[in-house]
Amino acid sequence: MPTTRTLTWSTIAVAAVLSVVAWMPQERAARTEAVKSNGWIDATATLDPATTPVYEGDAPMNFEFLKDMRKGDALTLSKYSLGAHSGTHIDAPMHFVRDGAPIDKVPLEPLIGPARVIDISDDVQAINAIELNRHHWRGTPRVIFRTRSSLRGWMKSSTFHRDFAYIAPDAAQLLADAGVQLVGIDYISAEQFGAPAPMTHRILLGKGIPIVEGLALEGIRPGDYDLIVLPMKVAGHEGAPARAVLRKRDP
């Protein structure tokens, strides 16, 4: 009997130790990741010619290794060729306003601060004034629309979809008149495809409101966030790819 009891308790002790050992790396990794990210969520579409959509008629993406250590070179060196409006990017006023500010002159204030992510249902293509006013958007300085493009994974598909959800001019006017500082959307244009005139862009950019397009919002829930979205600082041009991150704000 003593021998059996000793073996039983030994087995339990070993099992407990093994359980702790197995748990520790996972817990440490989770804790490290939490500290590293500090709650920030990457809302940037990965630039990849195989998976990133390109607006019809825009410059194609081409990434090339000039040197590659995996092939025996002493270092790895790359060349990128892409349009200014590739992936997650910011439109500066210069895009549709003749004397508008270029991307390197867009101030930091609209690009950093509180933002509200608004869910637009899959069956809505035109985010017009009626649709906008169905949602609680007033009082927030930055408005971001999560649309059918996120629900369908279109920012991860190289196929260009013409029927993406867009911001109609009457909604753009409401946003501009309310003093919104930044507007964002989850496909590579905020304007209706084939629109007779780029009125949404002209309304927002005409008020100096930068537009963030191509956000990756698949895993983002609607609500209030802190936003940081910073474009490449390219002198004298109308737009540039950007890195965008969101962090949920306390209720």
Side-chain angles (χ1 to χ4, degrees), residues 26-47:
Q26 299 173 13
E27 175 65 13
R28 190 182 300 114
R31 203 164 52 237
T32 301
E33 184 60 32
V35 170
K36 188 165 58 178
S37 65
N38 199 25
W40 289 102
I41 306 165
D42 198 345
T44 315
T46 301
L47 288 170

Side-chain angles (χ1 to χ4, degrees), residues 41-85:
I41 306 165
D42 198 345
T44 315
T46 301
L47 288 170
D48 184 339
T51 59
T52 305
V54 174
Y55 197 91
E56 190 171 295
D58 202 354
M61 286 190 294
N62 181 30
F63 297 170
E64 179 183 350
F65 286 105
L66 302 177
K67 295 183 182 296
D68 193 338
M69 293 180 71
R70 296 167 297 183
K71 296 181 178 179
D73 293 324
L75 73 160
T76 300
L77 189 66
S78 300
K79 180 178 75 172
Y80 303 154
S81 173
L82 69 166
H85 303 266

Side-chain angles (χ1 to χ4, degrees), residues 42-205:
D42 198 345
T44 315
T46 301
L47 288 170
D48 184 339
T51 59
T52 305
V54 174
Y55 197 91
E56 190 171 295
D58 202 354
M61 286 190 294
N62 181 30
F63 297 170
E64 179 183 350
F65 286 105
L66 302 177
K67 295 183 182 296
D68 193 338
M69 293 180 71
R70 296 167 297 183
K71 296 181 178 179
D73 293 324
L75 73 160
T76 300
L77 189 66
S78 300
K79 180 178 75 172
Y80 303 154
S81 173
L82 69 166
H85 303 266
S86 298
T88 305
H89 65 276
I90 295 179
D91 289 353
M94 182 183 174
H95 190 29
F96 280 104
V97 178
R98 182 181 177 85
D99 297 318
I103 194 67
D104 59 309
K105 300 300 182 185
V106 172
L108 291 175
E109 285 76 13
L111 308 179
I112 302 173
R116 182 165 298 157
V117 175
I118 294 174
D119 240 357
I120 303 296
S121 64
D122 181 75
D123 61 344
V124 173
Q125 185 177 3
I127 307 170
N128 54 27
I130 294 173
E131 175 63 28
L132 178 62
N133 282 330
R134 290 194 178 104
H135 304 273
H136 180 51
W137 65 273
R138 293 185 182 274
T140 185
R142 298 163 190 84
V143 176
I144 295 172
F145 296 105
R146 183 181 183 275
T147 75
R148 57 168 62 181
S149 300
S150 292
L151 298 174
R152 303 181 187 194
W154 284 351
M155 280 308 296
K156 293 181 179 178
S157 167
S158 61
T159 301
F160 175 67
H161 296 271
R162 295 182 173 189
D163 55 338
F164 56 85
Y166 61 90
I167 304 168
D170 59 349
Q173 193 65 61
L174 280 180
L175 293 165
D177 291 345
V180 168
Q181 298 177 34
L182 176 142
V183 175
I185 199 163
D186 55 355
Y187 204 56
I188 45 180
S189 181
E191 196 86 48
Q192 180 185 16
F193 180 81
M199 293 308 301
T200 292
H201 279 87
R202 287 177 180 169
I203 290 166
L204 295 175
L205 298 177

